[in-house]
Amino acid sequence: GVAGAGVGGTRASPKGRKMVRVFAGTWNVNASKPIENITAWLFPDGFRDGADVFILALQEVQSLSGLGGVATDTAKGRAWTARFDAVLGVGSGKYSLVCTRQMVGILLAVYVRAGMENAIRKVKAVDVGTGFLNKAGNKGGVAASFYVAGLSICAVSCHLAAHDDKVSKRNQDYHDIVRKSDFFGFETIETEEERATSSILTHDVVFWLGDMNYRIDLPVETVMEYIKAKDWNTLRIHDQLNKSRLQRQAFEDFNEGTINFAPTFKLEPNGASYLMNEEGTGLKRNPAWCDRVLWKSSDADCVTLLDYRSFPSILSSDHRPVLGIFEMKVKQSTLVKPVTQSPQLSASVHHVKLGVVSSNASIRKKISLINPGRVPTRFMLVAPNIPPWLSVSYPGNDRPTSVLQAGASLDVTLTVMGSEKVSSPELSAILQFKVENGDDVYVTLAGYVQGDCFGKSLVSLTRNNLIIPHELWRFGDALLSDLDNSGRRALDRSGLFTEGASPRDIDEVKHCISFGLRIPPENHPR
C-alpha cells in the first residue's frame, strides 16, 4: 500500500526522491446515469489505499444524438463528478478536486489526496473539438495542465472518430488536439517554465486516455476465435492503434502497457456478452480495444506502470472501464519544503464550489490567503484571469501589489453575479495570485447559472436555425392556444394587459417560459 510519509500518500524512493501514485482511468459511459458502484474500479484489488492523484476521463456522459452532439449539458457532467466526489470522499476530506472540464460528452476530472494541495500549481484546462465540421465537441479532447511537486503534467480525455475504416481520421484527431491545445491562449509567455507547459507534448509527463476508437483489422469471426482462446498477442498485432504508433502516424512517442484483457467494446449493457445486431444474426460491431491509457515522459525513469486492466464486471455501458496505475518520481524537496527565507503564500482552499447561481442574483464566498513563511510576501492578483461575472476583493487589492506579513492571513471575498455577463451556463475560473520571488497560488472556481430569458436580446435567444426564439414562441402559444379552467383563451380575458398580477405568479410564468415548462392555466399571462 501507499505509506503516509511526507505530504499525502507519497512513498520514499532512492536518491532523495519520492514516489507519487497516479490512477488514470477511462470509461465511455454511453449516456448512462452514475448509479453503478464504481468503488472497485477506483480502488481495485492491490491498490485499496488509493492513489495520490486521480485522473478520470469519461466519454458520452450525455447522449450525442441531435443537439446533444454539439451542446454541452453540464448537468450530466455534474452528476458524474458528484459521484466521483462521493466515492473518493471529497466531502470527508480524503481528496480534493483539482480541476474538471466538460466538452459535450467528454469529461475530465483530476483529484489529489488531501494534504497534497500545496504541491499542485499552475492549473489550466482547454478543450478541442474535432467532430462535425472538424470543430464540434461530439469528438475531440479535453486537456488539463498542472504541476505536481515540480513535475509538469498534462492529462487528456479524448473521444476520437468512430467506425472501422476511419483510422486516418482518428490519427488526424490526435494531431488536431495536439496542435490546437494552447494552454496560454492570448496570454504572454514570459518564463521558461511557462514555455515548457504551453502545449500538450511539452510537459514532463503526459497521460492520454479515452475512447480512442481504434479497431482490430480482422474479420469478426476471427476476432471472436482469438478472444475465446485469450490470444491477446495476435489481436494486439492487428490493433489499429498499435499499427499507427509503429508507423509513426499518431501517438508515436507514447507508451502503453501490455493489453492482457478482452476487448472493451461493444458489449451488452448490463450483460456479459458482445452485443448482437437487431436481427440476431451476428455481432453489431467487431470487438475492439477502443478504451486505452497511454503515457509519455521526458525522463524514461520517471514513470513506472504498476497495473493495466479492464473491469468487465461494471456493466451499465457498452464499454468497460479501463485503468492504468503508475508511480512517478518527484523531487523530495518539492513535496516537503524545508524552512526557508523565501516568500510563501498559501490558500485555505484550492477549489471553490459555487453551486447553482440564480440568474440576476449574486452569491459570496470567502477564502483566506496565508503567509506560512518567515518573511513578508508581496503578491498580486493577475487581473486578466478574472471573468466579467466575478469580483474579487481583499484589503489592499486596489493597489498594484499587496504585502502579507509573516504568519498573517487575510480574507478574500469572491462575489459571483449570475447576470448578462455570463456567456454560458457553466461558471469556471482559475484565480492566480502571483508571488514575487515565490511560487504562485492558484484557486479554481466552478459552478452553474440557472438563467432565464428575461433581459436578453431576441438575437441572443434565437438559435437552432429558428427565426423566432423558443421563449417568445411559448409565450405566444400560451396566449393564443391554451385554455384556462373556464375554457377561455388567455388572449380573450378582459384586463389582460391592464390588470396586475402577484409577484409569485409573475415569477412562475417567467420560470415556465425560460425553461420550456407548460404555464399552469390559472397563471396564464395577465
Side-chain angles (χ1 to χ4, degrees):
V2 180
V7 180
T10 58
R11 300 186 301 119
S13 70
K15 298 182 180 179
R17 297 173 76 87
K18 280 184 173 285
M19 308 300 291
V20 171
R21 185 160 291 174
V22 178
F23 176 105
T26 181
W27 187 19
N28 182 321
V29 298
N30 192 31
S32 61
K33 295 181 179 179
I35 57 177
E36 190 166 5
N37 190 339
I38 57 174
T39 303
W41 177 39
L42 302 186
F43 296 91
D45 291 342
F47 302 95
R48 293 291 176 83
D49 290 338
D52 303 310
V53 178
F54 277 88
I55 299 170
L56 302 173
L58 298 184
Q59 303 81 41
E60 294 191 44
V61 297
Q62 65 187 59
S63 171
L64 299 183
S65 61
L67 285 177
V70 294
T72 299
D73 184 349
T74 53
K76 297 293 194 291
R78 285 204 306 273
W80 277 102
T81 53
R83 186 59 186 272
F84 291 145
D85 288 355
V87 175
L88 294 175
V90 171
S92 58
K94 295 179 180 178
Y95 285 89
S96 295
L97 178 66
V98 173
C99 70
T100 180
R101 193 176 184 98
Q102 179 185 352
M103 179 184 69
V104 188
I106 304 171
L107 179 71
L108 176 67
V110 179
Y111 294 82
V112 65
R113 191 189 293 276
M116 284 185 62
E117 293 91 343
N118 286 333
I120 306 296
R121 298 190 300 117
K122 298 186 180 297
V123 181
K124 293 178 178 289
V126 297
D127 52 63
V128 174
T130 63
F132 305 132
L133 302 177
N134 207 36
K135 290 185 178 180
N138 60 308
K139 294 294 188 290
V142 174
S145 169
F146 52 96
Y147 275 83
V148 176
L151 275 180
S152 62
I153 310 295
C154 184
V156 184
S157 171
C158 77
H159 194 184
L160 307 185
H163 304 303
D164 293 32
D165 60 343
K166 300 299 183 184
V167 182
S168 295
K169 181 63 170 77
R170 286 188 274 280
N171 293 343
Q172 187 60 48
D173 285 351
Y174 160 76
H175 289 290
D176 286 345
I177 293 169
V178 169
R179 179 172 56 86
K180 296 179 181 179
S181 292
D182 183 357
F183 289 105
F184 283 85
F186 295 104
E187 296 180 44
T188 302
I189 298 178
E190 298 178 344
T191 67
E192 193 62 37
E193 185 180 59
E194 292 173 344
R195 188 171 293 106
T197 57
S198 60
S199 62
I200 291 175
L201 300 184
T202 57
H203 289 72
D204 293 327
V205 179
V206 181
F207 294 102
W208 193 308
L209 50 161
D211 179 0
M212 301 189 188
N213 255 323
Y214 288 94
R215 310 304 169 94
I216 297 172
D217 285 331
L218 289 172
V220 61
E221 298 81 7
T222 306
V223 170
M224 288 305 298
E225 289 176 5
Y226 287 129
I227 290 175
K228 290 176 182 177
K230 296 186 177 180
D231 188 352
W232 313 132
N233 183 61
T234 301
L235 290 177
R236 289 195 300 266
I237 292 172
H238 296 278
D239 173 76
Q240 293 175 348
L241 176 56
N242 288 339
K243 289 182 178 181
S244 292
R245 290 171 56 212
L246 285 171
Q247 295 166 9
R248 301 190 68 79
Q249 295 173 340
F251 297 99
E252 54 268 25
D253 295 319
F254 280 81
N255 305 291
E256 185 181 28
T258 302
I259 302 177
N260 286 317
F261 49 84
T264 54
F265 173 83
K266 180 177 178 86
L267 291 104
E268 295 177 348
N270 302 308
S273 303
Y274 290 98
L275 186 65
M276 300 291 290
N277 59 29
E278 287 75 6
E279 296 78 18
T281 58
L283 294 184
K284 188 166 186 175
R285 297 282 189 275
N286 199 345
W289 286 304
C290 290
D291 312 283
R292 314 289 276 267
V293 177
L294 308 181
W295 84 95
K296 70 180 291 291
S297 173
S298 57
D299 179 353
D301 297 326
C302 177
V303 179
T304 302
L305 176 66
L306 303 179
D307 195 8
Y308 191 33
R309 63 171 111 162
S310 70
F311 270 79
S313 60
I314 296 181
L315 307 174
S316 56
S317 170
D318 57 353
H319 293 248
R320 299 296 180 256
V322 173
L323 68 81
I325 296 180
F326 304 85
E327 279 193 338
M328 292 192 313
K329 293 179 182 178
V330 298
K331 294 179 181 179
Q332 183 172 355
S333 60
T334 61
L335 277 175
V336 185
K337 294 185 178 181
V339 177
T340 68
Q341 298 298 315
S342 62
Q344 297 182 43
L345 189 69
S346 64
S348 57
V349 295
H350 290 268
H351 180 72
V352 179
K353 290 187 175 182
L354 303 174
V356 178
V357 183
S358 298
S359 177
N360 298 316
S362 64
I363 63 168
R364 283 185 173 84
K365 298 282 187 178
K366 284 194 175 183
I367 64 172
S368 296
L369 295 178
I370 305 118
N371 180 356
R374 295 188 172 186
V375 297
T377 294
R378 186 179 297 273
F379 69 95
M380 63 176 291
L381 177 63
V382 180
N385 292 349
I386 304 174
W389 48 263
L390 177 64
S391 170
V392 182
S393 62
Y394 53 87
N397 73 319
D398 55 336
R399 297 189 293 271
T401 60
S402 299
V403 177
L404 191 59
Q405 298 298 320
S409 64
L410 61 80
D411 289 334
V412 179
T413 301
L414 310 173
T415 304
V416 178
M417 298 157 285
S419 66
E420 68 278 0
K421 296 179 180 179
V422 179
S423 58
S424 73
E426 184 175 3
L427 300 173
S428 179
I430 301 175
L431 299 181
Q432 178 185 4
F433 294 93
K434 195 170 186 65
V435 177
E436 188 175 298
N437 299 319
D439 291 337
D440 296 353
V441 171
Y442 293 82
V443 177
T444 62
L445 295 85
Y448 303 87
V449 173
Q450 185 178 23
D452 62 34
C453 63
F454 291 86
K456 297 181 180 178
S457 70
L458 294 180
V459 172
S460 68
L461 293 174
T462 303
R463 53 196 179 274
N464 305 332
N465 297 319
L466 295 177
I467 59 174
I468 300 176
H470 287 288
E471 295 83 359
L472 191 59
W473 187 288
R474 284 194 290 269
F475 184 72
D477 195 51
L479 286 172
L480 296 171
S481 303
D482 290 352
L483 304 178
D484 64 14
N485 294 333
S486 62
R488 294 181 304 165
R489 297 187 310 165
L491 195 61
D492 297 331
R493 184 180 299 166
S494 63
L496 175 64
F497 297 106
T498 57
E499 296 177 3
S502 71
R504 184 188 66 82
D505 287 348
I506 293 173
D507 287 342
E508 184 169 4
V509 169
K510 290 173 66 176
H511 181 78
C512 291
I513 292 173
S514 294
F515 298 102
L517 306 176
R518 182 176 180 272
I519 301 173
E522 64 273 14
N523 288 340
H524 272 179
R526 64 180 185 268

